[in-house]
Amino acid sequence: RETPRLSAARLDLGPLHAALAARVTAGEVPGAVALVSRGEETHVEAVGALAAGGATAARDSIFRISSTGKPMAAAAAMILVEQ
């Protein structure tokens, strides 16, 4: 079975980038990286810095992740629902 591709028409990352940039500008977070992926296709948006006054956030930035059990379970459940 072929994996459906992301729709170029529906995949407008402008609003995602604007939402991330708004949080950074408001000082809520120093930076953020968001990823949208389906099958072999991946799109990444990076905004701001890794820490206040730190290096710029980039696609390959390394972040400390904690307490990911619930989001991972939710993502797995959505994959099952989609199938």
Side-chain angles (χ1 to χ4, degrees):
R1 179 174 148 188
E2 186 178 323
T3 303
R5 296 182 55 82
L6 293 168
S7 166
R10 293 179 58 199
L11 185 66
D12 176 12
L13 294 180
L16 174 60
H17 184 86
L20 294 175
R23 299 298 186 271
V24 171
T25 302
E28 294 176 23
V29 294
V33 177
L35 180 134
V36 178
S37 180
R38 184 171 193 175
E40 299 295 320
E41 198 172 353
T42 304
H43 299 272
V44 180
E45 288 291 318
V47 180
L50 297 179
T56 302
R59 178 187 176 105
D60 60 350
S61 295
I62 298 174
F63 292 88
R64 179 173 172 250
I65 300 175
S66 60
S67 187
T68 62
K70 289 177 186 172
M72 295 299 280
M78 292 309 297
I79 290 170
L80 291 173
V81 167
E82 188 175 70
Q83 291 177 355

